[in-house]
Amino acid sequence: MIDLRSDTVTRPTAAMRAAMAAAAVGDDVYGDDPTVHRLEERLAGDLGFAAGLFMPSGTQANLVALLCHCQRGDEYLVGMEAHTYKYEGGGAAVLGSIQPQPIVPAADGSLPLPALAAAVKPDDPHFARTRLLALENTWHGRVLPQDYVQDAAAWARSVGLAVHLDGARLFNAAVASRVPARTLAAPFDSVSVCLSKGLGAPVGSVLLGSADLIAAARRWRKMLGGGMRQSGLLAAAGLHALDHHVERLAEDHARAQRLAAGLADAGVAVLGHHTNMVFIDVPPARLQALARHLEAGGVRASIGYLPTVRLVTHLDVDDAAIDRVIEVVRAFQAARP
Ligand SMILES: *Cc1c(COP(=O)(O)O)cnc(C)c1O
């Protein structure tokens, strides 16, 4: 199977498994795991933060960040297509009593400043207290314009909001834009980064922030069941990914571009390709047939989860796989009724 549903489907490489097997470990809930410390310190150092905290998932890292920034009855401003709002089970509301204020995003994923400004509530008992702006980079594969990020963060600070970045694919943004991840992260009070997406680790995200924020995050992580014991095994995979799988994200981006060009050539309506993602438009009446055709041809894509069909390139997809996917889709187009 050529699995293009997501970059989360990558399997740990032999070298990554070897690094995991060789990891020095301890009980991380007692603060004893040297490999977890190395990962947290490494990413905090690389991204310019005082501290980091290793967590089982990006969902938990974002939720913990929201719990650190907002109290019960506070609200956060977030894109209505953002992961934290739409794809994390409503955790901020369910578990944090934090009200999301969704904002309609512009086509490039930015949340327009006038819409943000209009959503900030006055200090009045009628309203939730607006406390935080959450952005996402990349957003559906798109790199947020850094000028926008700087303006939005400066505006947020000027009205007393903290700023969080869901940077699940921050390194895709950095590699694609040739701007250091540290620069992309600089405007934020906290950043979450996924190791289990394009970076190819089996598990794990890291939340970065100030020493105080990370101390609070450690308590929330424990409460949410995210305190792990000999998690150095997993952190070793993350360290290996940071050493070996960051620069190569450029290959995924190039393959997404090649896939988009090939699909367009096969007559498919390509809506866009951004970093490692390709979005195509297929008439709703043909989606089921496409899913069956792809499955029979040994290809998987995200169908029915977004309004469009999404194909994601990653570590386990080579050039031959891209050619194969284009051929399978070409055959589907040729068989069009
Ligand atoms: C995958 C993802 C997350 C959450 O990560 P999980 O590890 O799957 O919980 C958060 N934000 C974005 C943008 C993501 O793509």
Side-chain angles (χ1 to χ4, degrees):
M1 272 302 194
I2 301 168
D3 195 342
L4 303 183
R5 285 174 299 174
S6 176
D7 46 12
T8 55
V9 303
T10 51
R11 315 276 167 90
T13 62
M16 181 178 278
R17 287 171 194 253
M20 295 171 75
V25 296
D27 186 324
D28 184 56
V29 174
Y30 287 112
D32 288 348
D33 194 298
T35 309
V36 172
H37 288 172
R38 265 210 298 138
L39 173 65
E40 291 169 345
E41 285 162 18
R42 159 84 186 272
L43 258 181
D46 285 358
L47 298 184
F49 287 90
L53 190 66
F54 185 48
M55 285 189 240
S57 70
T59 297
Q60 188 173 94
N62 284 327
L63 175 60
V64 164
L66 294 171
L67 289 165
C68 288
H69 288 296
C70 300
Q71 307 291 313
R72 182 166 188 245
D74 289 352
E75 76 168 1
Y76 77 116
L77 309 180
V78 60
M80 65 177 287
E81 300 294 333
H83 204 281
T84 52
Y85 171 61
K86 193 169 174 183
Y87 300 99
E88 295 178 10
V94 175
L95 300 170
S97 299
I98 301 162
Q99 165 172 290
Q101 168 61 69
I103 306 289
V104 178
D108 64 1
S110 62
L111 308 178
L113 295 189
L116 290 173
V120 174
K121 313 293 183 290
D123 183 3
D124 176 306
H126 286 89
F127 302 118
R129 291 168 301 239
T130 314
R131 284 284 191 244
L132 175 74
L133 169 64
L135 298 178
E136 183 175 318
N137 198 10
T138 63
W139 175 76
H140 295 203
R142 290 168 181 78
V143 181
L144 276 193
Q146 189 61 8
D147 287 352
Y148 163 77
V149 171
Q150 274 159 0
D151 290 351
W155 166 80
R157 293 240 154 66
S158 76
V159 296
L161 308 185
V163 200
H164 171 70
L165 178 67
D166 177 351
R169 296 188 179 85
L170 181 69
F171 287 103
N172 291 85
V175 167
S177 61
R178 297 195 170 84
V179 175
R182 187 188 182 92
T183 305
L184 300 181
F188 295 93
D189 298 298
S190 56
V191 175
S192 63
V193 176
C194 277
L195 301 164
S196 60
K197 302 274 168 88
L199 295 183
V203 173
S205 279
V206 179
L207 179 67
L208 294 317
S210 67
D212 283 351
L213 185 132
I214 294 301
R218 196 175 291 282
R219 179 180 293 272
W220 285 120
R221 181 186 69 169
K222 185 76 183 107
M223 206 185 297
L224 295 172
M228 298 181 287
R229 302 298 177 172
Q230 285 74 37
S231 40
L233 284 176
L234 301 172
L239 282 163
H240 180 87
L242 292 173
D243 285 338
H244 300 284
H245 295 171
V246 173
E247 295 310 319
R248 66 150 307 285
L249 291 171
E251 297 173 28
D252 297 344
H253 302 167
R255 288 194 179 107
Q257 187 166 4
R258 218 161 65 74
L259 177 61
L263 293 178
D265 185 59
V268 173
V270 176
L271 298 172
H273 67 88
H274 311 283
T275 58
N276 65 333
M277 297 185 186
V278 179
F279 298 90
I280 62 174
D281 191 27
V282 176
R286 297 193 78 215
L287 282 176
Q288 287 291 331
L290 175 66
R292 280 194 304 272
H293 179 88
L294 292 182
E295 190 76 19
V299 177
R300 290 201 173 124
S302 261
I303 299 177
Y305 162 75
L306 295 164
T308 57
V309 175
R310 186 183 78 167
L311 304 105
V312 185
T313 58
H314 53 73
L315 191 57
D316 294 349
V317 177
D318 60 12
D319 288 329
I322 295 298
D323 291 339
R324 169 93 191 128
V325 172
I326 293 167
E327 284 323 303
V328 169
V329 175
R330 193 185 294 282
F332 179 73
Q333 286 296 104
R336 186 166 35 189

